[in-house]
């Protein structure tokens, strides 16, 4: 469902007018954390090595191609010098290197600049998202319901909206997004989220 909210109520917008990316009928709703844990187990069963706690710090490029990453050195003291726990970072080479750092990952930014990946493309849109996870009473739970909204409490010159995803054991993911091009310098995304949660 997609709704346009006013101060005291809302209007459900017909799905017919929603862009294709908002058409999720028949899809599953679940926890990304659970999906990542599941995929991690499956990957390890296939022989994939997983190195949690070792962030990539450098992209390895040879002959104009990405060939892997290097992890950062561990055991560096506050003054930037190696301490007794120092461990040199390691190179991890692969046929394919996938950058999953989010919209502004430091290595991704380097690759975008180095290879001109944003040339001839629209600029990215940035926003701040806030999420809570609620366990609700069974009578309020509607398995698989996905509801998005726009409008109140944001003013007309500020973009953003909300979501409510019902999944798992009476859980509802409640979230609010504010686009970062809002004009009012005193607008607080956190406070707008608190106001949103009071909507009937």
């Amino acid at each position: 469902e997609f709704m346009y909210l006013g101060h005291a109520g809302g209007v459900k917008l017909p799905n017919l007018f929603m862009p294709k990316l908002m058409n999720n009928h028949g899809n599953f709703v679940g926890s990304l954390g659970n999906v990542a844990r599941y995929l991690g187990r499956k990957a390890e069963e296939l022989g994939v090595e997983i190195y949690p706690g070792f962030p990539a710090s450098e992209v390895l490029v040879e002959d104009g191609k990405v060939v892997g990453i290097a992890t950062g050195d561990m055991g560096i003291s506050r003054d930037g010098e190696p301490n007794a726990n120092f461990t040199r970072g390691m190179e991890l080479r692969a046929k394919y290197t996938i950058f999953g750092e989010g919209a502004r990952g430091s290595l991704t930014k380097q690759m975008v600049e180095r290879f001109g990946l944003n040339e001839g493309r629209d600029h990215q849109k940035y926003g701040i998202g806030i999420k809570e996870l609620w366990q609700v009473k069974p009578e309020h739970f509607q398995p698989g319901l996905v509801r998005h909204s726009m409008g109140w409490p944001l003013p007309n010159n500020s973009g953003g909206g909300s979501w409510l995803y019902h999944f798992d054991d009476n859980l509802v993911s409640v979230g609010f997004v504010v686009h970062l091009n809002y004009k009012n310098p005193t607008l607080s995304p956190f406070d707008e989220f608190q106001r949103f949660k009071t909507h009937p």
Side-chain angles (χ1 to χ4, degrees):
E1 295 180 359
F2 200 97
M3 300 192 72
Y4 184 84
L5 300 182
H7 180 71
V11 175
K12 187 174 169 183
L13 302 175
N15 289 333
L16 175 69
F17 299 113
M18 294 297 108
K20 285 187 178 180
L21 89 106
M22 300 297 289
N23 184 355
N24 289 303
H25 297 289
N27 293 342
F28 290 98
V29 180
S31 160
L32 184 57
N34 288 341
V35 170
R37 282 186 284 277
Y38 169 80
L39 291 176
R41 287 192 304 272
K42 291 297 183 186
E44 286 178 325
E45 289 171 10
L46 294 170
V48 174
E49 297 177 26
I50 298 176
Y51 301 97
F54 292 89
S57 65
E58 178 185 353
V59 180
L60 304 176
V61 179
E62 293 176 359
D63 298 323
K65 296 179 181 177
V66 174
V67 295
I69 58 95
T71 64
D73 295 339
M74 305 290 275
I76 304 293
S77 64
R78 283 187 190 170
D79 60 4
E81 297 297 319
N83 63 26
N85 299 320
F86 178 76
T87 304
R88 171 73 64 200
M90 58 183 159
E91 289 188 358
L92 297 170
R93 293 174 172 264
K95 184 175 182 180
Y96 300 103
T97 303
I98 300 169
F99 295 86
E101 301 180 291
R104 293 291 286 169
S106 57
L107 298 181
T108 301
K109 282 194 288 186
Q110 292 174 26
M111 294 299 92
V112 167
E113 185 174 335
R114 181 176 191 146
F115 294 109
L117 300 177
N118 59 350
E119 291 175 10
R121 308 289 193 284
D122 290 336
H123 292 287
Q124 288 179 293
K125 181 178 268 188
Y126 298 99
I128 184 167
I130 305 167
K131 179 179 98 171
E132 294 179 354
L133 196 58
W134 296 355
Q135 189 160 36
V136 299
K137 295 177 181 177
E139 60 267 25
H140 297 300
F141 183 68
Q142 300 177 53
L145 174 65
V146 171
R147 179 175 288 145
H148 289 271
S149 78
M150 56 189 251
W152 190 89
L154 293 173
N156 289 335
N157 63 354
S158 298
S162 74
W163 74 80
L164 295 166
Y165 298 159
H166 292 240
F167 71 101
D168 211 26
D169 182 23
N170 296 338
L171 294 178
V172 179
S173 172
V174 181
F176 194 76
V177 175
V178 178
H179 299 166
L180 292 184
N181 60 352
Y182 56 86
K183 306 289 187 223
N184 179 355
T186 64
L187 185 142
S188 162
F190 176 79
D191 290 336
E192 297 305 310
F193 183 40
Q194 303 313 308
R195 288 200 316 146
F196 162 75
K197 291 187 296 182
T198 68
H199 195 278

